[in-house]
Structures are given as structure tokens and as C-alpha cells.
Amino acid sequence: MPQHIQINVMNTREQIIQLGKCLAAEAQTGYGNAVKGGLDHFLTEWLASANGAAREPVVQAALARLQGYAALELDQRKARLDESLDQLRALFREGGQEPRQGKRAATKARGVAPAHAAPLTLDAPLATFPGIGPSLAKAFARLEIRTVADLLYHFPHRYDDFSSRMTIAELTVGATETVVGTIADVKSFSTRTMLGGVNLTLEDETGTLPITFFGQKWLVNQLKLGEQIVVSGKVTAFNGRLQMNSPKWEPYREDALIHAGRLVPVHPLTKGMYERNARTIIKKVVDAAVPLVREYLPDEVRERAKLVPLAKALAQVHFPDDHKQLALARYRLGFDEFLFIQLGVLQRKQLWQGVPGYQLTLDRQVQAEFLSKLPFQLTNAQTRSLEEIFADIQRPVPMARLVQGDVGSGKTVVAAAALLQAIANGFQGALMAPTEILAEQHYRGLKKILSQVRVPRDAKDVAQHSDDWQRRLAPEQLQRMQELKRLLGMTEEEDMAGAGVRVALLTGSLKTKERKRVLESIAQGEVDLVIGTHALIQEGVQYNSLGLVVIDEQHRFGVEQRERLKGKGHHPHLLVMTATPIPRSLALSIYGDLDASVMDERPPGRQPIKTKWIQKAEVAKAHKHIRKEIAAGRQAFVICPLVEESDKLELASAVQTQEELQHEVFPELRVGLVHGRMTQAEKDAVMAAFRDRAFDILVATAVVEVGIDVPNATTILILGAERFGLAQLHQFRGRVGRGEHQSYCIVVSDVDNDVTEQRLRALEESEDGFVLAEKDLELRGPGEFFGRRQSGTPDLKMAQLGDTRLLHAARLEAERILQRDKQLEHPDHALLKQKVDTFWANAGAAN
């Protein structure tokens, strides 16, 4: 039934209890605005006599949250009223007492038992902190903030600079300024909308400033004549007089400003959170928790790197005293993140190279024969990379090297030469590709080259495969030999002894019987080089003598898969190839455990790809160009725009584009479709059909970013180009320009903003992937560099990967620390080890 609570003259505590009783009663009646006259009316009457109670921040937040209650939807009423009740209960819990009726009503309405105060720890659930009720705790949880420590590391995403104070006489129209003054006049006003507000006059020694707070009529009970306050807001003019409307404000206390008169933090928030109230709560948590923070960096490290203490950094990053203190705090916290990354990757490198490896002998004769079989000469970059690889494999520790090559720079040839040296030393090689179709492409290409190169075999191997030995084979043994030749793609003229490298393909689509034979051949050492996908690291794959592992397109694989493949042999050498040029800062973070070789030259004879940015209105011209190219016997790709991160929307876009092109634009041509919702086998089948010219045009989503070699494709049309990063656009462009014919890249976008224009102009002007990668990092930041998140790569909250100076400082310090204490076992490093382990564990969980 409707509730009516008489308001009497009472003290502050009693007033808040009275408010809590009314809100609890409203909750009990189902949030139907059943209070007599409505909740808005009650709150107005309550404010008129509330005096000191209305100055309590929790009460202010509740009043702001419940403003216009009658006009809210039922679910909004429930959410706002429940949160207000939670915080009022928490306020009394902090003081050791709860309003009894409010406690009973709230418990009955929501089944929430009151919590009891406990000693604060950094691991304590946020809901146990005084002032944070269940609703606010749930809101924080939506931001993955569940403990006090989580909130300490929930950094502001920007700051409003209200720190520069002006006198009233110095104010200028249009500027956002901060003024400290005394309230000379204050009164409320009403409007026909019933929201009303408060007018006040602020004065200082230089003049007066009218200020209006719209829709906050209750402020009349908080803003007292003669009180000194600080306001921060935009200066406007009305009838020739300067004024402010609804500025941020708070009582002026020099050492306790939170919302105005300082660098004001703006934290990422979510539904159910209100900026002013959240900032007040965060300030309380930071003040209470910072003294509990333990410093994990030894004093000598902090002094050497010129870092402020961790506790000070955390306090200042949330509520900085000034710009200098903020910069020092950000430097310390960013340094720590880079240090954790570098300690992790350097430890991984030490772990890998801290054991004996295969010290290979360089066979110059085999290398010379290999080069003689190539239809081209190596570029200087290829030669330089090979010399770096050859130097590594001749050392008694396992190689761990990354080869970064731009699109079409000839990485596969470099990998083949390296694999050949391992095989010439009597070891097996393995090459893992991200998709079956790429594995098959590598298989065909490498078998064609390597089967022509004679590699030395030991006397036993040669004898076992001699003609005389084969004549003495039992029928079943001879049958197995013939099957093995077939598996290895050998002709009848080729024997097992010499000829060239014995290459096998191992993928998930092999039939059971065929897979079993390949596995037996690998285990018995009858295969020199095995090429495949993730199948290479599955259970049951045993190598006879794995000496070198090559991984193509590393960023498609996580760290765990890489470690599993390395574990298949006795510490084989590792060579990672990527066709995504990566800025040095990113390479140090993502591939920090690998030495790097850079291939920044394209083989001679490759024609530049003509790149053009057009508007949507010009797409018909692009269609005309495609028709002309196809008439000349060529093929074309059409790339559909990325639709945020939604596979379903992206699929709809691709299907719609394919249907439109097939039925309306190119009815006489064959238009295929490949998209991310297909299985890998389906994708591979479509791509292979396109390569074999079953389609004239292939409509695709981002799945072709790293794709097969289709030399006959000469045009790629990229729709919605603004949705892709510069590095990704460059990868798309690399799908063409692989044959003898002139190739074209056409990007379509109407989006008119500076970032898009810089990105697309850069693509038009440069084919240098390394130049474009640096530009992409500058424009988009590291988080979007690869599109989707890196597998096994830590997320950075403070550090900027473009800050190479800070990154190098952290790497240098990591090297110094590990030089003295490889396993971080020293007591001085115990807390640091714990932080590094947690940091990398969280990185794995996030991916």
C-alpha cells in the first residue's frame, strides 16, 4: 500500500535513516512510485529539511541518481533505487550501524545479507569495501574489476585539466576554466518541466560570476552562503555577462579536491556507474589501498632506471598533483609492463638456448648446388639473412630466429636453404604452415626444388636403398618401399638413396591409412622434410632426428603451439617466418625471445602494383577494369569490409556482395565466395578452385590476408577499406602481383577523416611494408595492429608500444637482472618473479 513518511526536524544520521526507510519501502512495493505524492515529491520535501545529510557524498549521488524517478522505466527505477539503497547501507555499515527498517526491507526485497567489516587487503573483494554495495560491485565486475588490487590498476583513460585557476576577471568566453570563490547568493527556481534548478552568485576579489545548475534543485541545501567552493566548467555569456552552466564543483579544501580545481581523472565506466560517485569511491579505495602496496623492484633497479616508488606511482596516476607527477607515474607503470614482458621473453630464450643444441657443419657444396637450381639470384637481403641463419646453426645452442620479410620478399627460399643444411647434416626438418592449402603450396614448391638437390647420406642409408638391397627385399617390404615412394611423390626413376630430399606432407585431412604410413616414415627417418599444419604437433607424431623447425606466419600460432613443436625433437633449431612487417617495438614485445633478420628487398623483376583509392560512386569503373582484366585471361579478388568483430554480420556482407556481383554485375562470369564461417577444409577447397581457375572472381573476407599463391590474379578490389589497418591492407595487396602481368589494388572508401586519409594515401604512395607498418602503429596503436589479439601476447594498460625509448630501457634492465639471477630466485626478486608470473598467466588467460 502507498507509504507516507512524515519528515521531522532530526539530526544528520536520523535524516539519512529516514531516507533509507522510504527507499526500502518503495522497493518492497515493487518500484511502483507508491510513496504518497510520488518519490520525486518526497525527495523534494526531504531536501527542504535535510540540512547536513544532503552534504554526504553518498546521499548526493543517490539524489542525482533518483532524479526524475516517475519518468523512468521500471527496470531503471529498480537499478537506480537498489544501488542507492546498497550505498546507504554500506555507509552505515562503515559507521557500524544500519538503519534497521532499511536493512530488513532491503534484505527481504533482495535476499542480501549485510556484510561485516574486515581488515582491508589488496585481494579483498571490492564488495567488502565500505561504500561499495552489491550493485556497484556488479558494475565494477562488468569491467573485470573484482578486487581492491583490480581497481588500483583500473587507470584513468584521460584527465580533465581543471588545475589552472583563474580569477573571475581573467575569465574568457568559450574557455574551460577553474575559479575559487565565495557563495554570495543562492536560491532555487522552478520551471514548467518540474526539474527546476539552482542559481548562485560566486564572488572573488575581482568580481562576481552567475552560475546555474539545471535540474539539480536539491543543491540549494548543499550550497551555503559564505561557503568557499571551487568550480570548473565552460565559460559562456548571456546578455553581455559571463556565466557558467552546471560546472563541476566541490567545497574548497586545498588538500582534498577530487572533482574540480585539479587534474581530474576520468576512469572508464559502465552501466550502473555515475562519474562523480565512482570517482569518489575510487579516491577512497586508492587512499586506503596504496599504503598496502609492496614494492617489487629492488632499490638499485629503481635508482638506476630513475623510477618513482610503485605506491606513489599508483596514487599519482589516479589523482595526480600536477602534470609532472602524472608523467613520472605513467613512466614507472609503463616501464613495469615492458619489464615484465622482457623478463618473460628473455627467460624463454634462456630456457631454450640454455641447453646443448645441434652444432651443424655448413655444407657449401650442397648450398652451391641448391643455388644453381634456382631460376633467379638471391637478393642482398636474402643472402644477409642466410648468413645470419648459417652462423646460428653452427653454434652449439639451438637457434631461435625470426625472419621478417615483406610480401614477396622470398622468405621460403631462405627457409629451404636452411632446411637443406639440417638435412645435409643427417637431421630431419619440419615446416608448419597455418592452413592446409599453404602447407600444400609449400610442399609442391619445396619438393620441386629440393628433390633436385643431392644431399649426402651415410653409408648405411645408401646401402639400404641400393638396387642390390632392393632386389633381396621380401614382397611385403618391396610393397612398403613402393608405397613410401608414392607418399613422397617420387617417380619410378628416383631411388631412396640419393637423390634428392625426401619430402612428405602431413595434414589433418589425410586418410587414416595414409596418415599412418607417413607417421611411420617420419619416425623411422625415411622422410627428410615433413610439411604440415597443426598436425605436426599432435600426439602420435614422433620424429627420428628433428634438427630444424620452420614456422610460417608465426602470428597465427600461439606460444604454446610453438613450444610443443620444439618439444618434438631434442632441442632443434627454430626459424620463424612472418610476412607481416613489424615495427621494432612490436617485434621486441611479441618476438622478444627471437633474434631478428629483416628481408626488406623484393626479388628483381617484380612489377610494382598500381594502387588507387576511389570513392563508392566510382566502383562501376573498378568493375569495368575487372571485366577487362578477366577478358584478358586474368582473375580478381574482391575483399568485403570487416564488420566490427561480428562474424555473422561479416558473413552477411560477403554473401550479399557475392550475390550482387554474380547476378547483377558479372552474370556472365564465375564468382566464388570464401569467408570466416567456413571450415578450414571448405576454405582450402574454394581457394584451390580459384587457383585452378574454376572462378574468375573470388569474393572474400579477411581470411585471404595470408593466402595461397595465385599468379594469375592481377586485381584486388577492397571494399570498406577504412575498416582495415594499413598493415592488413598491405597484406591484401600482396595477394596480387605474384605473376608476370601488371597488377592493381583498388581501395574503396568514402569515410572522410584524417586517419583514414593518411592510411589510404600512404598505401597509394608506398609498397614498403616496413614503412607502412610504422605508419600503421602510429595511426592505430598496437592493440589493433594485427586486427584480432595476439595469441599469448600480454595486454598493456599503461605502456605504449610506440615508446621505443622506454621499451629499450626496460629490456636493458631485464638483461641486467637475468644476468645476475636467471630464474629470479634471489630473495630480492621474489615479489618481482610473482608479478612476472601473474602478468604472463593473465596474458594466456586473456587469449
Side-chain angles (χ1 to χ4, degrees):
M1 59 182 289
Q3 302 290 320
H4 177 58
I5 300 172
Q6 181 66 41
I7 299 173
N8 301 311
V9 177
M10 51 188 79
N11 64 33
T12 297
R13 190 175 188 80
E14 291 171 334
Q15 289 167 350
I16 298 176
I17 291 173
Q18 191 80 314
L19 174 62
K21 287 179 178 180
C22 178
L23 298 186
E26 169 66 8
Q28 279 186 305
T29 57
Y31 312 94
N33 201 22
V35 176
K36 187 175 180 181
L39 190 61
D40 292 321
H41 175 72
F42 169 83
L43 295 177
T44 301
E45 287 191 7
W46 183 87
L47 269 169
S49 61
N51 298 323
R55 303 174 71 86
E56 182 66 41
V58 170
V59 174
Q60 292 178 15
L63 293 171
R65 196 179 297 117
L66 296 171
Q67 184 180 318
Y69 184 82
L72 298 175
E73 298 291 337
L74 186 62
D75 60 340
Q76 293 177 304
R77 289 182 185 179
K78 183 180 186 305
R80 296 190 183 192
L81 193 137
D82 284 357
E83 184 172 357
S84 300
L85 261 176
D86 286 340
Q87 293 193 12
L88 288 173
R89 292 176 63 230
L91 176 67
F92 277 89
R93 185 170 71 231
E94 184 177 3
Q97 178 185 345
E98 289 190 57
R100 285 179 294 173
Q101 181 177 338
K103 173 182 175 181
R104 285 197 304 270
T107 302
K108 183 177 179 182
R110 295 187 305 284
V112 178
H116 297 285
L120 183 68
T121 66
L122 294 180
D123 294 329
L126 210 52
T128 64
F129 190 86
I132 298 180
S135 293
L136 187 56
K138 286 179 182 176
F140 275 119
R142 285 195 288 272
L143 295 170
E144 302 297 323
I145 301 167
R146 294 181 172 84
T147 67
V148 171
D150 291 341
L151 190 54
L152 268 185
Y153 282 86
H154 180 62
F155 301 135
H157 61 82
R158 66 180 174 85
Y159 301 83
D160 290 333
D161 189 355
F162 298 144
S163 60
S164 179
R165 300 177 194 169
M166 311 287 284
T167 63
I168 290 174
E170 293 172 328
L171 298 178
T172 57
V173 175
T176 298
E177 305 285 12
T178 296
V179 177
V180 175
T182 303
I183 298 175
D185 184 38
V186 59
K187 56 187 177 184
S188 62
F189 64 87
S190 298
T191 64
R192 278 180 288 184
T193 64
M194 293 182 63
L195 291 178
V198 172
N199 286 322
L200 72 79
T201 301
L202 194 69
E203 68 177 7
D204 67 7
E205 65 277 10
T206 67
T208 61
L209 178 69
I211 298 175
T212 301
F213 292 95
F214 291 103
Q216 302 176 62
K217 200 172 180 179
W218 47 270
L219 284 178
V220 73
N221 296 292
Q222 298 182 41
L223 298 163
K224 301 300 182 183
L225 283 174
E227 182 179 30
Q228 198 173 33
I229 64 171
V230 55
V231 296
S232 297
K234 188 174 182 179
V235 181
T236 59
F238 181 72
N239 288 337
R241 288 199 65 188
L242 300 183
Q243 64 175 20
M244 280 187 182
N245 292 321
S246 298
K248 297 181 185 295
W249 76 278
E250 62 186 307
Y252 179 67
R253 296 188 296 274
E254 182 69 41
D255 59 345
L257 295 177
I258 300 176
H259 308 290
R262 61 169 301 135
L263 277 174
V264 176
V266 181
H267 292 80
L269 302 179
T270 187
K271 183 180 179 182
M273 304 178 77
Y274 300 87
E275 186 179 306
R276 188 180 181 94
N277 185 45
R279 189 181 298 120
T280 300
I281 290 292
I282 291 170
K283 183 70 165 71
K284 288 182 178 180
V285 173
V286 169
D287 289 348
V290 158
L292 305 176
V293 170
R294 298 174 68 187
E295 178 62 71
Y296 44 74
L297 288 186
D299 291 345
E300 63 176 24
V301 173
R302 286 197 295 107
E303 289 167 8
R304 200 161 50 222
K306 297 181 172 56
L307 303 172
V308 298
L310 178 62
K312 181 177 181 180
L314 288 168
Q316 289 294 319
V317 80
H318 284 286
F319 294 93
D321 292 340
D322 50 45
H323 286 282
K324 181 181 178 181
Q325 292 303 318
L326 175 59
L328 290 172
R330 291 179 64 89
Y331 186 88
R332 164 64 201 266
L333 296 168
F335 179 94
D336 286 4
E337 288 185 323
F338 278 148
L339 182 67
F340 299 156
I341 288 178
Q342 295 308 312
L343 285 171
V345 296
L346 289 172
Q347 276 188 309
R348 199 156 62 212
K349 185 174 183 179
Q350 284 183 354
L351 185 65
W352 180 239
Q353 296 193 327
V355 293
Y358 303 126
Q359 187 170 8
L360 306 183
T361 301
L362 186 62
D363 192 322
R364 292 287 181 186
Q365 184 177 343
V366 166
Q367 170 68 356
E369 185 177 353
F370 170 68
L371 294 178
S372 71
K373 304 296 183 184
L374 298 177
F376 51 81
Q377 283 193 326
L378 297 185
T379 65
N380 291 331
Q382 286 172 315
T383 301
R384 183 178 64 244
S385 296
L386 268 180
E387 290 303 322
E388 291 168 346
I389 292 167
F390 290 164
D392 284 350
I393 62 177
Q394 292 179 84
R395 295 170 59 217
V397 294
M399 172 175 67
R401 181 165 292 277
L402 168 71
V403 175
Q404 277 197 78
D406 202 351
V407 176
S409 59
K411 299 178 301 301
T412 307
V413 170
V414 169
L419 287 163
L420 197 53
Q421 290 300 318
I423 294 164
N425 277 262
F427 293 97
Q428 291 173 305
L431 189 155
M432 184 161 72
T435 66
E436 288 202 6
I437 197 160
L438 277 176
E440 289 167 5
Q441 183 172 295
H442 281 309
Y443 172 70
R444 283 193 302 271
L446 291 178
K447 183 181 181 304
K448 183 177 179 181
I449 297 174
L450 297 182
S451 63
Q452 303 176 53
V453 181
R454 298 177 64 86
V455 290
R457 309 278 184 195
D458 61 42
K460 180 182 176 184
D461 191 30
V462 173
Q464 282 186 342
H465 297 96
S466 66
D467 289 341
D468 182 57
W469 176 76
Q470 289 189 39
R471 279 193 293 271
R472 294 198 303 271
L473 284 177
E476 63 273 13
Q477 293 174 312
L478 188 59
Q479 182 182 356
R480 170 170 166 70
M481 183 63 65
Q482 296 303 322
E483 287 177 350
L484 183 59
K485 283 187 176 183
R486 183 177 59 80
L487 283 173
L488 299 176
M490 289 183 167
T491 65
E492 286 301 316
E493 290 73 29
E494 294 174 326
D495 60 43
M496 297 292 296
V501 175
R502 301 172 300 207
V503 186
L505 180 66
L506 180 62
T507 61
S509 63
L510 284 181
K511 294 177 181 177
T512 304
K513 188 176 180 182
E514 197 171 10
R515 174 182 171 80
K516 182 181 177 183
R517 288 171 182 160
V518 172
L519 291 177
E520 288 175 356
S521 303
I522 295 169
Q524 293 178 20
E526 295 169 331
V527 168
D528 299 315
L529 171 60
V530 57
I531 298 172
T533 55
H534 286 275
L536 295 184
I537 58 173
Q538 291 174 349
E539 294 295 327
V541 182
Q542 295 298 323
Y543 296 88
N544 182 274
S545 56
L546 185 58
L548 173 61
V549 174
V550 178
I551 302 179
D552 189 21
E553 292 303 336
Q554 158 70 7
H555 77 265
R556 300 287 171 173
F557 295 107
V559 171
E560 182 185 344
Q561 290 99 318
R562 196 169 83 193
E563 294 298 321
R564 283 172 64 191
L565 183 56
K566 286 193 293 188
K568 288 289 181 181
H570 178 66
H571 303 115
H573 296 290
L574 174 68
L575 185 64
V576 170
M577 303 191 298
T578 175
T580 305
I582 305 166
R584 177 158 172 75
S585 56
L586 271 176
L588 272 175
S589 298
I590 296 166
Y591 302 120
D593 53 337
L594 304 174
D595 298 312
S597 295
V598 176
M599 291 173 50
D600 48 8
E601 280 182 80
R602 301 182 71 181
R606 288 280 180 99
Q607 294 186 59
I609 300 169
K610 294 183 178 179
T611 304
K612 178 73 174 174
W613 171 22
I614 66 172
Q615 305 290 308
K616 287 181 183 176
E618 302 173 273
V619 166
K621 294 180 181 177
H623 291 161
K624 184 178 179 181
H625 165 82
I626 289 174
R627 182 174 274 106
K628 180 182 174 183
E629 284 292 297
I630 292 172
R634 309 285 88 78
Q635 292 166 280
F637 288 99
V638 175
I639 306 299
C640 290
L642 183 71
V643 185
E644 299 305 329
E645 290 291 324
S646 170
D647 287 339
K648 288 185 178 179
L649 290 176
E650 201 171 321
L651 171 59
S653 167
V655 170
Q656 182 180 346
T657 301
Q658 190 267 344
E659 289 178 349
E660 180 183 328
L661 292 178
Q662 180 65 88
H663 300 298
E664 298 177 26
V665 183
F666 302 112
E668 76 283 11
L669 301 178
R670 300 162 300 171
V671 183
L673 173 65
V674 63
H675 54 75
R677 303 270 287 189
M678 290 177 167
T679 65
Q680 190 59 56
E682 290 170 335
K683 292 176 198 171
D684 287 347
V686 174
M687 294 293 284
F690 183 60
R691 179 196 61 209
D692 298 338
R693 305 195 186 188
F695 300 114
D696 304 300
I697 299 169
L698 183 63
V699 175
T701 56
V703 296
V704 300
E705 178 188 348
V706 176
I708 61 167
D709 197 354
V710 186
N712 194 51
T714 56
T715 298
I716 185 162
L717 174 66
I718 306 172
L719 307 175
E722 73 280 354
R723 293 187 178 274
F724 299 107
L726 188 48
Q728 199 173 17
L729 289 169
H730 181 60
Q731 289 298 307
F732 287 144
R733 178 166 59 183
R735 296 307 97 216
V736 297
R738 291 168 171 259
E740 58 183 311
H741 306 288
Q742 176 64 57
S743 290
Y744 308 86
C745 174
I746 305 168
V747 292
V748 184
S749 177
D750 282 351
V751 174
D752 184 19
N753 62 56
D754 288 343
V755 171
T756 296
E757 182 168 351
Q758 287 186 62
R759 188 183 302 154
L760 299 184
R761 292 294 177 215
L763 189 73
E764 280 190 310
E765 293 166 7
S766 177
E767 279 195 75
D768 187 326
F770 291 93
V771 170
L772 295 178
E774 293 288 353
K775 186 70 173 177
D776 200 28
L777 181 61
E778 173 193 329
L779 292 176
R780 286 162 65 89
E784 298 180 70
F785 185 82
F786 288 107
R788 288 180 171 83
R789 284 279 306 277
Q790 276 292 307
S791 180
T793 306
D795 193 14
L796 299 178
K797 294 182 178 180
M798 182 61 66
Q800 297 294 318
L801 279 170
D803 189 349
T804 53
R805 182 174 67 94
L806 184 59
L807 177 60
H808 283 269
R811 187 172 180 90
L812 181 64
E813 204 54 59
E815 288 170 346
R816 283 173 172 163
I817 290 171
L818 293 177
Q819 196 169 16
R820 287 183 47 221
D821 184 9
K822 288 185 178 182
Q823 302 301 322
L824 297 180
E825 295 171 332
H826 192 278
D828 285 353
H829 295 147
L831 286 173
L832 178 59
K833 183 181 189 309
Q834 186 180 339
K835 289 293 290 185
V836 172
D837 291 346
T838 301
F839 183 78
W840 280 94
N842 290 340
N847 291 279

